[in-house]
Amino acid sequence: MGNVLRLALVDPGDATRESIKTTLLGLDMVWLEAECSRYEFFTDVVAQTHPDIGLVALDHDPDKALQLVSKLNQSAPDCAVLVVSASSDGNLILRAMRAGAKEFLTSPVRIEDLLDALGRIADRRFGRGESRSRGSTIVAVAGATGGVGTTSIAVNLGCALARNDKNSVALVDLDLCLGDADVFLDSIPDYTLVDVAQNVTRLDFTLLKRSLTKHSSGLFLLPRPVQMEDMALITPDDLQRVIGLLKATFTHLVLDLSKSYTPLDQVALQMADEVLLVTQLDLPCLRNVVRLLMSLGAITGMADKVKVVVNRVGLENGQISLKKAQETIGREIYWQLPNDYRTMVEVRNNGVPLVEQAPKAAITQAIVNLSEALCGADKAEEALSDSTKSSLSRLLNLWPGKSKATPIK
Ligand SMILES: Nc1ncnc2c1ncn2[C@@H]1O[C@H](COP(=O)(O)OP(=O)(O)O)[C@@H](O)[C@H]1O
Ligand SMILES: [Mg+2]
């Protein structure tokens, strides 16, 4: 399980301790080594269990808690102390800092703030390159126009990735109005993106997985809302949090985007590690690819992660040649997927993915190879010690102004 941070927690308040525990239990990067309800016993607990992190809730008795923080700082210098308080009073933060706390979190603890703080501690503890091995890869699948095959690719890519036992994969249908990923997987989900978005702070790992629908391929699906009017209930901020939580839970996330490039799609594009821009070889599509590449290219960090995928190659004689297409869009075509209407309609109508319905078909092989190429890209990236790409810090530093976690050392 890579670099897990071992954590001991002290909070004399039963309710707040339980709530912190629930949040922590949802994160597979944290192992809850010990919990304690008395400040005075906690130094001994830390001495016996040697956790990487000591989490001290301040509010029950701030003076006593801060004394404990200084004591821990001396008796267990290898244990990074993280403090939690409902107050964001500057004076309290200063006192915590002077006592030796490494991070100050405001309660109720937002999952992304906790991940942010843990990411920084993991970076300090294991080095940035190392902590990345616990990361997750987000693949956003976007299209040049409606009907190019975005959902077909997202669903079948997700299933191909899920075949590998080492992967845990979730697919999020972000086509909030007309999304049909559930049809492709023949599933009738109990919960949708709107339920998860509205309860994101209360969800732990187990509950989150229970809110998603598991397909027989191993792929977890988070579908679009049932009612169109519920679309409005999901804000970009909510989606950022949902993706953050999923990212901490799954090794791969596949996001099936809408064709409207809405603020929610923009969040997905920003948070993605890889963006597959699906097109076909006709003029309207290629023109949109050029326009999209221009707009996306203006967003910092985007140009490198957008990859053009040509779908339905060989569809008809009148298709623009790959060479001409490449010249028109001015960049490499990352992947080609053959046209196979019969198989694709069959998989959609039967609600069975390619890897199950037509494992030998050329289209299936092309998608399986695409999934392997994307995983290969992860591995190559892991090998690079590019400190800016630590998945946790990269994810959370996208919106630095929104983080409530205050690094104080
Ligand atoms: N490689 C392919 N060959 C033939 N038909 C395809 C291929 N990919 C997708 N299709 C078909 O194209 C249609 C639209 O695909 P879909 O994935 O729903 O597109 P989008 O999500 O971009 O709107 C579907 O009927 C699907 O079966
Ligand atoms: Mg679609």
Side-chain angles (χ1 to χ4, degrees), residues 271-285:
M271 294 183 82
D273 301 287
E274 311 280 354
V275 176
L276 303 182
L277 180 53
V278 183
T279 183
Q280 292 185 15
L281 292 172
D282 57 59
L283 199 60
C285 271

Side-chain angles (χ1 to χ4, degrees), residues 146-152 173 175 178-181 184 256-259:
V148 278
T150 312
T151 306
S152 306
D173 190 346
D175 191 345
L178 303 175
D180 47 9
F184 278 78
D256 180 12
L257 270 54
S258 85
K259 303 300 188 313

Side-chain angles (χ1 to χ4, degrees), residues 103-124:
E103 299 279 343
F104 190 103
L105 286 168
T106 310
S107 65
V109 177
R110 284 170 37 133
I111 198 128
E112 61 268 41
D113 297 334
L114 180 62
L115 284 171
D116 195 0
L118 293 174
R120 280 191 295 266
I121 290 172
D123 280 349
R124 283 192 289 252

Side-chain angles (χ1 to χ4, degrees), residues 42-287:
F42 195 59
T43 343
D44 285 345
V45 169
V46 168
Q48 280 158 23
T49 55
H50 303 289
D52 299 306
I53 297 174
L55 197 154
V56 180
L58 300 183
D59 292 346
H60 192 77
D61 186 341
D63 291 334
K64 226 173 175 181
L66 289 175
Q67 269 173 25
L68 168 65
V69 174
S70 342
K71 218 165 140 193
L72 283 174
N73 209 31
Q74 282 161 16
S75 64
D78 288 341
C79 172
V81 179
L82 214 148
V83 296
V84 182
S85 168
S87 154
S88 51
D89 171 36
N91 192 35
L92 187 68
I93 297 177
L94 197 64
R95 284 175 65 205
M97 181 188 80
R98 288 187 178 141
K102 296 279 188 292
E103 299 279 343
F104 190 103
L105 286 168
T106 310
S107 65
V109 177
R110 284 170 37 133
I111 198 128
E112 61 268 41
D113 297 334
L114 180 62
L115 284 171
D116 195 0
L118 293 174
R120 280 191 295 266
I121 290 172
D123 280 349
R124 283 192 289 252
R125 173 111 333 181
F126 306 120
R128 284 178 168 248
E130 286 285 306
S131 63
R132 193 181 319 124
S133 65
R134 301 201 40 70
S136 158
T137 302
I138 304 182
V139 182
V141 188
T145 192
V148 278
T150 312
T151 306
S152 306
I153 295 172
V155 168
N156 287 294
L157 179 67
C159 292
L161 287 166
R163 280 190 332 160
N164 184 338
D165 291 345
K166 289 194 189 127
N167 296 340
S168 55
V169 190
L171 169 70
V172 186
D173 190 346
L174 289 177
D175 191 345
L176 298 196
C177 202
L178 303 175
D180 47 9
D182 54 335
V183 176
F184 278 78
L185 292 167
D186 191 26
S187 62
I188 303 170
D190 292 328
Y191 301 100
T192 72
L193 182 58
V194 75
D195 303 303
V196 172
Q198 291 190 324
N199 293 293
V200 68
T201 46
R202 289 201 292 261
L203 287 177
D204 60 31
F205 181 67
T206 324
L207 259 179
L208 174 73
K209 280 205 165 166
R210 239 187 269 151
S211 315
L212 272 55
T213 307
K214 191 174 182 187
H215 183 259
S216 57
S217 62
L219 178 70
F220 285 84
L221 170 69
L222 187 53
R224 55 141 180 79
V226 177
Q227 310 284 349
M228 281 194 189
E229 49 277 25
D230 285 354
M231 270 170 58
L233 299 174
I234 307 167
T235 66
D237 217 33
D238 292 335
L239 182 64
Q240 187 204 333
R241 298 174 77 171
V242 172
I243 296 178
L245 183 61
L246 290 169
K247 190 174 163 120
T249 311
F250 291 92
T251 62
H252 294 79
L253 286 189
V254 181
L255 311 174
D256 180 12
L257 270 54
S258 85
K259 303 300 188 313
S260 309
Y261 293 85
T262 62
L264 294 186
D265 293 314
Q266 301 290 340
V267 168
L269 290 166
Q270 292 263 19
M271 294 183 82
D273 301 287
E274 311 280 354
V275 176
L276 303 182
L277 180 53
V278 183
T279 183
Q280 292 185 15
L281 292 172
D282 57 59
L283 199 60
C285 271
L286 292 175
R287 192 187 63 159

